[in-house]
Amino acid sequence: MSASATPETVISFPGARAPDRRRAVDAHGLRLAVYEWGDEKAPPILLAHGGFDFARTCDVFAPLLADGGWRVVSWD
């Protein structure tokens, strides 16, 4: 980490957009964070991240799909 960077530093990327909805789902004692972009009535598409990523990694790609008519769902 550079001398000027702190854990609170916010990095933004062109086109990135926070999810439209966020909720938690409890599944057999495990709490999952679920993030959604796009119209709730649109056909769903699920995005699963890789092992060292997290659901908000989709903040750049998911809005593009949502703007194309999909309901995008990602989770941690």
Side-chain angles (χ1 to χ4, degrees), residues 10 12 35 38 40 48 59 70:
V10 175
S12 63
Y35 304 93
E40 291 180 90
D59 282 5
W70 294 93

Side-chain angles (χ1 to χ4, degrees), residues 1 5-10:
M1 185 178 304
T6 66
E8 296 82 24
T9 300
V10 175

Side-chain angles (χ1 to χ4, degrees), residues 1-63:
M1 185 178 304
S2 72
S4 63
T6 66
E8 296 82 24
T9 300
V10 175
I11 300 170
S12 63
F13 295 93
R17 188 170 78 215
D20 300 320
R21 292 169 302 284
R22 177 183 175 178
R23 68 178 185 278
V25 176
D26 291 316
H28 303 285
L30 180 66
R31 180 169 229 168
L32 299 174
V34 179
Y35 304 93
E36 294 186 26
W37 295 259
D39 184 349
E40 291 180 90
K41 295 181 175 123
I45 187 168
L46 306 177
L47 300 181
H49 60 77
F52 292 105
D53 272 333
F54 50 94
R56 294 291 305 271
T57 301
C58 301
D59 282 5
V60 175
F61 185 58

